[in-house]
Amino acid sequence: MTDATEYDPTEQTPGTEHWQERFGAAMMRTLATPLAMLVRGEGCYVWDEKGKKYLDFLAGIAVNSLGHAHPDLVAAVTDQVGRVAHVSNYFSSPPQIELAERLKRITGAGESGRVYFCNSGAEANEAAFKLARLNTSGGTRTRILSLHESFHGRTMAALALSGKPAMREAFLPVPGGVEHIHTTIEALEASIDNTVAALFIEPVKGEAGVIDLPDGFLRRARELCTRHGVLLIIDEVQTGAGRTGEWWAFQHDGITPDAITIAKGIGGGLPIGALVTYGATSDLFSRGQHGSTYGGNPLVTATSNAVLGVIERDGLVANAARRGVQLREIVHGFASPQISEVRGRGLLIGIGLTEPVALRLAAAAMKEGLIVNAANESTIRLAPPLIIGDGELADFQHRFGLALASL
């Protein structure tokens, strides 16, 4: 591998010629025109087909926990694909069981916990939706609650859970029984009773613009769900695997959920998701009620074990907490009239803007060789790899400062 500061664009990667036209002609029209053609990555940097270098402060939308081409990830993939990549769910494999046991430990699910593997966050939430439907108490629990402006995925049940009506309009009717409530303790108290099967919560609303929950919201949700026999299901797809400075964001509030859904950062770039259950919730699913051909196959579970192992070994959860504080200080230090607030925890940060210029600012950052995300018209989302250090923070400060100044 060449030095991380150098890349020779004359070493053309096959398949990059006229890529915009080819993309438009070949890909389904569900995506916007891509911002660039990326052909290589190392650490916290990526390069496009022309050789331009970018500091990656989005990490594949909170996926690339270890950055790009981390040697432990490369070794795990290489070793496992040379042994056996896939066996179907008729068989097990050592990395599958190892990962399930690891997840039970680091989630606090303990001995009574159980793990269901799938391929994405949306699939994990689909499984959780079915789990919620099993908590019926003889058919009296017919309601599932979720939050306004939440996002749980684009498949049909996940779409029903997502509190964004515009996303559902073209696909109605979606699975029924879901009610969306305001993100207030008062709304929790008014909505949760013995007719509710489950409450779905994102501990930080990532796609809404990295919006924090009100103080005490999760703790009050836990109290009410326990009182009324409601499953508290926490969507940790974007917030998990150390991103917020704890292994899982719910741990900031000192609660125990009934189930969590996870994906993104646990795979470090390979597609994997999981539903983890706690206590009696682990007994709801029975044989044949759910499944996945690819879920938990040897390749992805071996890779996830390597990723989570590095996060533990290298103290990257603590690094996310510490670097997140530094990153917030840098953003506040710009003292820009364009910046109104900084939201989120650890290395999941939303920069609130005073004007709807997020798309312009993200484009300006790209010109300066910095990848960030306009989560909406007035929010810039930052989700860098958990491995960032002083050098990457200084580089971010320089490049984002230039982008801000260009406005």
Side-chain angles (χ1 to χ4, degrees):
M1 183 174 289
T2 60
D3 185 85
T5 60
E6 298 178 356
Y7 171 65
D8 183 359
T10 61
E11 297 176 1
Q12 178 104 6
T13 301
T16 63
E17 302 87 353
H18 310 293
W19 68 266
Q20 293 97 333
E21 294 87 346
R22 294 170 60 203
F23 181 95
M27 298 292 290
M28 194 72 72
R29 295 175 182 173
T30 57
L31 300 171
T33 302
L35 300 173
M37 166 69 80
L38 301 180
V39 299
R40 177 176 165 264
E42 186 175 349
C44 297
Y45 291 88
V46 291
W47 285 260
D48 68 18
E49 88 286 3
K50 296 179 181 178
K52 183 173 180 177
K53 177 183 177 182
Y54 302 85
L55 174 63
D56 183 3
F57 257 51
L58 186 58
I61 316 181
V63 168
N64 298 315
S65 302
L66 306 185
H68 302 275
H70 191 284
D72 288 69
L73 187 149
V74 172
V77 172
T78 303
D79 177 73
Q80 190 60 51
V81 81
R83 296 172 182 268
V84 58
H86 177 72
V87 296
S88 90
N89 54 26
Y90 287 115
F91 305 94
S92 185
S93 64
Q96 179 193 58
I97 297 173
E98 179 184 346
L99 181 59
E101 292 172 341
R102 183 190 297 270
L103 288 174
K104 286 174 59 174
R105 173 173 58 83
I106 65 177
T107 62
E111 182 60 32
S112 63
R114 293 292 181 270
V115 179
Y116 166 77
F117 286 120
C118 52
N119 311 289
S120 67
E123 289 179 60
N125 283 322
E126 290 278 335
F129 190 99
K130 291 175 72 172
L131 184 80
R133 286 279 179 87
L134 293 174
N135 187 35
T136 63
S137 292
T140 61
R141 297 186 183 276
T142 58
R143 304 164 59 210
I144 295 174
L145 303 181
S146 185
L147 304 180
H148 286 301
E149 296 302 313
S150 61
F151 179 75
H152 299 283
R154 296 179 184 273
T155 51
M156 291 300 280
L159 198 59
L161 291 170
S162 297
K164 295 176 176 289
M167 294 180 62
R168 296 194 298 270
E169 287 176 359
F171 306 103
L172 296 173
V174 294
V178 180
E179 302 172 25
H180 298 95
I181 65 175
H182 292 292
T183 311
T184 65
I185 291 176
E186 292 77 14
L188 284 176
E189 294 172 340
S191 303
I192 295 179
D193 59 26
N194 294 341
T195 68
V196 177
L199 169 65
F200 282 77
I201 296 176
E202 287 179 281
V204 179
K205 295 182 187 176
E207 296 302 313
V210 192
I211 305 298
D212 300 301
L213 298 177
D215 288 342
F217 186 89
L218 266 185
R219 291 189 295 275
R220 186 58 174 148
R222 177 68 279 174
E223 292 169 359
L224 292 167
C225 287
T226 299
R227 179 186 305 170
H228 294 285
V230 176
L231 299 183
L232 177 58
I233 301 175
I234 307 294
D235 181 338
E236 292 273 4
V237 170
Q238 190 162 161
T239 53
R243 178 141 301 273
T244 68
E246 292 280 0
W247 264 115
W248 316 100
F250 73 81
Q251 293 171 336
H252 290 287
D253 289 87
I255 67 159
T256 300
D258 296 297
I260 64 173
T261 56
I262 57 181
K264 286 187 180 285
I266 68 169
L270 267 68
I272 183 172
L275 169 66
V276 181
T277 54
Y278 296 68
T281 311
S282 298
D283 297 325
L284 287 174
F285 270 131
S286 59
R287 181 176 176 178
Q289 288 188 317
H290 203 47
S292 168
T293 297
Y294 291 103
N297 79 29
L299 181 59
V300 297
T301 52
T303 304
S304 182
N305 274 313
V307 170
L308 297 176
V310 171
I311 292 174
E312 285 194 282
R313 182 195 70 199
D314 294 352
L316 296 184
V317 177
N319 192 62
R322 181 162 61 97
R323 300 303 183 179
V325 171
Q326 293 177 290
L327 187 52
R328 294 171 76 96
E329 290 172 350
I330 288 171
V331 175
H332 284 301
F334 288 120
S336 169
Q338 296 283 4
I339 296 175
S340 61
E341 62 177 340
V342 183
R343 303 184 293 266
R345 292 178 182 265
L347 292 178
L348 180 61
I349 289 179
I351 303 174
L353 305 176
T354 55
E355 298 180 76
V357 295
L359 286 171
R360 286 176 51 204
L361 183 52
M366 280 288 290
K367 289 183 180 178
E368 299 298 337
L370 171 66
I371 298 174
V372 297
N373 169 243
N376 55 43
E377 292 182 345
S378 58
T379 303
I380 291 292
R381 174 171 47 178
L382 308 178
L386 305 186
I387 62 173
I388 63 169
D390 291 337
E392 289 81 12
L393 288 171
D395 200 2
F396 167 82
Q397 184 174 17
H398 172 69
R399 296 177 192 243
F400 195 69
L402 292 174
L404 272 173
S406 73
L407 296 183

